[in-house]
């Protein structure tokens, strides 16, 4: 145990704050000269769009708690307290959509999502409250046990007492992102700060370019000695500065000469650089460019496939993180073998109407989907059981699956029927002959 403790103390020893939850070292200055934080990054339209798309996608997916039945199938555990908590209202202040949207935003910006678990006397979860990741510290004590330390604030719900509160893993729902130690995730914004910083610098350059009248900066040359250069500079800026004064004719007096010194945006490939930075940000979050408004490489033939790939390669990993983290933190040990959480992504994987109908027809005719199975996927009312809504049919006169082969059985019965008819005919003939034979005998026995 002493070796174990020394290893964890050594793990937390570096001063550059690159270990554990203290990853603040990565935020701040960049090679572009712009400071990048989670809040300044959200001022970039591409970053804001990516975060909004992913957070709203996770928040909008149906989330259910299921249980395994004795037959091996699954059913919704509507009677379990966690079902209503996660499906409808995690706490009295939020809906399930807002709660999940908030946690997913934290996860995308800081790399971690935390929520305080409120339990009753029986140990049942009765509420979940989001916690800010930038005020949370994850560490281990002298015995190697994990703990969470949170700095409270006045603008939060008063669910904790004290300014610095230590919480056990039993009281925290922690969803970590990609990290180095498997315990704490690292911020995508922090890890890609140079790329985002360059995008911020390009945006600021474009804004200042138009603020200066869409005219490159330059030098005003005077053949003599200028007694008051500040007055001349202010006079020039007031007359020709700003986008409202662009393309005005300048009148130079006293031998003044204007010499531009900066290159045009076209020469600097300004627009191309801005486009590339949008692709860079989309690459960080693994978002298809067409979803954030870049349709340059999208068409009607591939945009649906890109949307399906978004569900498969972008949403599915996040969904798995959510499901497994909730199972680990919210279910009691004896419940983990019986219950599980599941996001329903089937609605996002559906194709167009014609493709869905063709798929349903194939499933219906081959006997592995009933009418009610299809109607549930289309959010339609079920057909009553007595009307055949739960029947599984196969192609060929739509015979019930349990009656498959009935035609062959009837054909074999017909082949055997002539033999039976012949036997019955012979038997009837014998019975008809018996009276004749008996009458002849009586006639022969008659006395002369």
């Amino acid at each position: 145990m002493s070796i174990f403790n020394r290893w964890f103390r050594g793990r937390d020893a570096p001063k550059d704050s690159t270990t554990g939850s203290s990853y603040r070292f990565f935020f701040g200055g960049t090679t572009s000269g712009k400071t990048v934080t989670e809040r300044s990054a959200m001022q970039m339209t591409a970053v804001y769009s990516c975060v909004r798309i992913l957070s709203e996608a996770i928040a909008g997916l149906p989330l259910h708690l299921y249980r395994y039945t004795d037959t091996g199938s699954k059913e919704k555990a509507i009677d379990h307290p966690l079902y209503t908590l996660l499906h409808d209202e995690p706490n009295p202040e939020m809906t399930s959509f807002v709660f999940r949207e908030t946690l997913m935003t934290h996860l995308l910006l800081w790399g971690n999502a935390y929520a305080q678990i409120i339990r009753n006397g029986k140990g049942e979860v009765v509420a979940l409250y989001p916690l800010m990741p930038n005020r949370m510290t994850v560490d281990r004590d002298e015995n190697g046990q994990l703990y969470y330390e949170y700095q409270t604030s006045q603008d939060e719900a008063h669910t904790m007492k004290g300014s610095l509160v230590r919480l056990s893993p039993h009281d925290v729902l922690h969803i970590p992102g990609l990290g180095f130690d498997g315990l704490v995730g690292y911020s995508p914004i922090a890890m890609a700060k140079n790329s985002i910083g360059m995008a911020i610098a390009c945006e600021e350059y474009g804004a200042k370019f138009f603020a200066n009248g869409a005219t490159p900066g330059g030098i005003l040359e005077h053949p003599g000695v200028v007694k008051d250069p500040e007055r001349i500079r202010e006079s020039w800026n007031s007359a020709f500065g700003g986008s409202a004064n662009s393309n005005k004719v300048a009148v130079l007096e006293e031998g003044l000469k204007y010499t531009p010194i900066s290159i045009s945006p076209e020469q600097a490939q300004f627009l191309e650089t801005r486009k590339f930075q949008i692709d860079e940000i989309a690459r960080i979050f693994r978002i298809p460019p067409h979803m954030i408004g870049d349709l340059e490489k999208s068409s009607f033939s591939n945009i649906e496939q890109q949307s399906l790939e978004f569900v498969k390669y972008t949403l599915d990993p996040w969904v798995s993180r959510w499901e497994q983290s909730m199972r680990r933190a919210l279910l009691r040990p004896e419940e983990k073998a019986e219950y599980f959480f599941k996001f329903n992504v089937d609605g996002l994987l559906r194709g167009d109407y014609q493709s869905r109908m063709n798929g349903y027809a194939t499933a219906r005719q081959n006997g592995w989907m009933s009418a009610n199975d299809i109607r549930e996927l289309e959010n339609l009312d079920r057909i009553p059981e007595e009307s055949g809504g739960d029947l599984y049919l196969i192609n060929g006169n739509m015979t019930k699956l349990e009656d498959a082969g009935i035609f062959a059985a009837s054909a074999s019965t017909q082949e055997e029927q002539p033999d039976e008819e012949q036997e019955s005919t012979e038997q009837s003939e014998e019975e008809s002959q018996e009276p004749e034979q008996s009458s002849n005998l009586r006639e022969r026995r008659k006395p002369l």
Side-chain angles (χ1 to χ4, degrees), residues 167 181 264 396:
L167 302 170
D181 56 4
S264 65

Side-chain angles (χ1 to χ4, degrees), residues 220-222 231-233 235-241 245 247-258:
L220 286 173
E221 299 182 18
H222 192 278
R231 181 183 61 83
I232 297 177
R233 184 184 298 109
S235 176
W236 177 270
N237 289 333
S238 62
F240 305 107
N245 296 323
N247 299 322
K248 290 180 67 174
V249 178
V251 178
L252 304 179
E253 301 177 354
E254 299 180 359
L256 286 174
K257 180 182 178 181
Y258 177 77

Side-chain angles (χ1 to χ4, degrees), residues 51 371 438:
V51 173
S438 60

Side-chain angles (χ1 to χ4, degrees), residues 64-78 323 337-344 346 376-377:
H64 302 289
L65 176 66
Y66 291 92
R67 70 161 61 91
Y68 294 107
T69 62
D70 297 336
T71 59
S73 60
K74 66 176 187 287
E75 64 179 7
K76 294 178 182 177
I78 303 178
E323 291 173 348
E338 182 181 359
Y339 295 90
F340 65 95
F341 296 97
K342 188 69 177 177
F343 284 91
N344 186 4
D346 293 339
E376 285 182 357
L377 292 177

Side-chain angles (χ1 to χ4, degrees), residues 370-376 379-385 389-390:
S370 68
N372 283 335
D373 293 337
I374 298 172
R375 294 179 68 86
E376 285 182 357
N379 198 24
L380 299 173
D381 294 334
R382 292 174 59 88
I383 297 175
E385 185 177 354
D390 293 322

Side-chain angles (χ1 to χ4, degrees), residues 140-203:
R140 293 186 183 270
D141 57 19
E142 60 277 4
N143 297 321
Q145 299 298 319
L146 200 68
Y147 69 88
Y148 296 83
E149 203 166 56
Y150 187 70
Q151 182 71 42
T152 60
S153 175
Q154 293 294 329
D155 58 353
E156 295 176 324
H158 297 290
T159 58
M160 293 177 283
K161 296 181 179 180
S163 58
L164 189 63
V165 181
R166 177 173 290 196
L167 302 170
S168 68
H170 181 72
D171 300 324
V172 177
L173 169 61
H174 179 198
I175 307 172
L178 178 66
F180 297 156
D181 56 4
L183 298 176
V184 178
Y186 284 80
S187 168
I189 302 298
M191 302 302 288
K193 65 176 182 178
N194 285 327
S195 178
I196 297 175
M198 184 175 179
I200 294 175
C202 289
E203 188 175 74

